[in-house]
Amino acid sequence: MSLHSLPLFVRLAGRPVILIGEGEAAEAKRRLLARAGATIVGEAGEAAVLAIVALPEPDATVARLRARGILVNAVDRPDLCDFTLPAIVDRDPVIVAIGTGGVSAGLAAALRQRLEALLPAAMGALAERLFAARGSLRRRIPDMGERRRLLARGMAEGQPLDPLGPGDAAAVDAYLAGASVQSTQAVTIHLRSDDPDDLTLRDARALAQADRVIHDADVPVAILIRARADAERLLAPAEAAEGLTVRIVRV
């Protein structure tokens, strides 16, 4: 399965971005660029590498900008967009972006509203505490894989680092200061169908945390992409190793 777009977070503070157009659509994009700290310039902006065009007939303007090597977003014209702007849930420093490739801004907005109600305000504070603890965690647990597994275990539902939990500061600090590492684990997923929606919550969590995935050649890509992007993929038979190994077997 391929991605129609690669999601990226771009730091724009102090950098020029071209904005062309008038009216509410252009003003909405102006406000968004201002929140990101961008310097908004016109079409003549020499150093800009991004542009947003909010015009009724954008084709000629988009062509001129693309000829200069500039990536363009044309409002309400996904066929002319090199990049799209997602709906955003802001839990600074956590940003959740929802994109549909320009197919349905309404769907992205509806998902954003649901996530706004779901994601607690304390999520940003949790992120800051995790960042503050990085140095001590690295000294205590030098291996990156072990640190990742420790954090993943702590972020499970109901655990001290649960991103949807209450964000109790004392519980977070106690976990980060004293949690132990489980160096070797093995989990077997019994595949009931080729539909990833049939994975249990336990299955999905194991795939998301796996260091390696052992599977038969006929396991569909739709299942395998639920694993971490940097998890090792091995065809069965293969042996488990240090870290979390997930075996996928058909029922």
Side-chain angles (χ1 to χ4, degrees):
M1 297 179 67
S2 61
L3 293 169
H4 63 73
S5 303
L6 178 65
L8 298 171
F9 289 87
V10 181
R11 296 184 184 273
L12 292 178
R15 302 180 67 179
V17 177
I18 294 170
L19 177 61
I20 302 171
E22 297 180 352
E24 181 50 39
E27 285 305 308
K29 298 301 185 283
R30 187 182 301 277
R31 291 192 294 269
L32 185 61
L33 291 172
R35 283 180 64 189
T39 300
I40 300 171
V41 299
E43 185 173 348
E46 293 291 336
V49 296
L50 297 178
I52 299 176
V53 178
L55 295 172
E57 301 292 337
D59 300 67
T61 303
V62 169
R64 290 196 304 271
L65 293 168
R66 281 179 168 172
R68 294 164 52 187
I70 295 172
L71 298 176
V72 182
N73 171 273
V75 176
D76 290 333
R77 287 290 302 274
D79 57 309
L80 293 179
C81 287
D82 298 308
F83 68 95
T84 56
L85 298 171
I88 294 172
V89 181
D90 187 359
R91 296 291 184 269
D92 185 38
V94 178
I95 299 175
V96 179
I98 307 105
T100 63
V103 171
S104 176
L107 175 59
L111 289 170
R112 180 189 63 78
Q113 291 169 10
R114 295 285 186 90
L115 290 173
E116 282 281 7
L118 179 65
L119 303 181
M123 182 176 289
L126 172 62
E128 295 287 6
R129 286 186 174 276
L130 291 171
F131 180 76
R134 287 200 312 175
S136 60
L137 277 176
R138 283 175 176 170
R139 289 189 294 272
R140 183 160 59 90
I141 307 171
D143 183 79
M144 182 174 64
E146 291 183 355
R147 290 198 304 274
R148 187 187 64 249
R149 291 190 290 275
L150 180 146
L151 293 173
R153 195 167 74 248
M155 291 181 188
E157 184 177 358
Q159 296 304 306
L161 307 185
D162 182 354
L164 302 185
D168 183 284
V172 169
D173 291 344
Y175 181 85
L176 293 174
S180 60
V181 175
Q182 298 175 353
S183 59
T184 303
Q185 295 176 271
V187 173
T188 299
I189 292 177
H190 298 281
L191 198 62
R192 299 160 184 81
S193 80
D194 291 347
D195 186 349
D197 287 340
D198 288 338
L199 293 170
T200 67
L201 180 60
R202 173 183 174 276
D203 294 343
R205 183 179 297 130
L207 281 171
Q209 298 174 5
D211 294 288
R212 70 197 50 78
V213 179
I214 299 173
H215 63 92
D216 292 329
D218 62 349
V219 171
V221 174
I223 299 293
L224 295 176
I225 62 173
R226 294 297 183 96
R228 289 177 34 242
D230 57 347
E232 186 179 12
R233 271 88 164 161
L234 300 171
L235 287 175
E239 296 299 321
E242 187 175 2
L244 174 58
T245 298
V246 173
R247 294 182 185 271
I248 304 177
V249 299
R250 290 190 178 275
V251 175

Short mmCIF file of all heavy atoms in Angstrom, two decimals, residues 29 37 62 66 71 77:
data_model
loop_
_atom_site.label_atom_id
_atom_site.label_comp_id
_atom_site.label_asym_id
_atom_site.label_seq_id
_atom_site.Cartn_x
_atom_site.Cartn_y
_atom_site.Cartn_z
N LYS A 29 -5.69 31.12 5.78
CA LYS A 29 -4.33 30.63 5.59
C LYS A 29 -3.32 31.61 6.19
O LYS A 29 -2.29 31.21 6.72
CB LYS A 29 -4.04 30.42 4.10
CG LYS A 29 -4.95 29.39 3.44
CD LYS A 29 -4.83 28.05 4.11
CE LYS A 29 -5.63 26.96 3.40
NZ LYS A 29 -7.08 27.05 3.69
N GLY A 37 4.61 31.25 12.69
CA GLY A 37 5.74 32.17 12.71
C GLY A 37 6.34 32.48 11.36
O GLY A 37 7.44 33.05 11.28
N VAL A 62 -0.19 29.14 -10.35
CA VAL A 62 0.46 27.91 -9.89
C VAL A 62 1.56 27.52 -10.86
O VAL A 62 2.67 27.12 -10.45
CB VAL A 62 -0.57 26.78 -9.74
CG1 VAL A 62 0.12 25.43 -9.53
CG2 VAL A 62 -1.52 27.06 -8.58
N ARG A 66 5.46 27.02 -9.81
CA ARG A 66 6.10 25.71 -9.99
C ARG A 66 7.33 25.82 -10.89
O ARG A 66 8.31 25.09 -10.70
CB ARG A 66 5.10 24.71 -10.57
CG ARG A 66 4.13 24.15 -9.54
CD ARG A 66 3.16 23.19 -10.20
NE ARG A 66 2.41 22.42 -9.23
CZ ARG A 66 1.39 21.62 -9.53
NH1 ARG A 66 1.01 21.50 -10.80
NH2 ARG A 66 0.76 20.94 -8.60
N LEU A 71 6.92 24.73 -4.10
CA LEU A 71 5.82 23.82 -3.82
C LEU A 71 4.58 24.64 -3.51
O LEU A 71 4.62 25.58 -2.72
CB LEU A 71 6.16 22.91 -2.63
CG LEU A 71 7.37 21.97 -2.83
CD1 LEU A 71 7.65 21.21 -1.55
CD2 LEU A 71 7.14 21.02 -3.98
N ARG A 77 -8.37 23.24 -4.82
CA ARG A 77 -7.96 22.62 -6.08
C ARG A 77 -6.92 21.54 -5.79
O ARG A 77 -5.72 21.73 -6.04
CB ARG A 77 -7.39 23.68 -7.05
CG ARG A 77 -8.43 24.59 -7.65
CD ARG A 77 -9.32 23.86 -8.65
NE ARG A 77 -8.53 23.25 -9.72
CZ ARG A 77 -8.17 23.90 -10.83
NH1 ARG A 77 -8.54 25.17 -11.01
NH2 ARG A 77 -7.48 23.28 -11.76
#
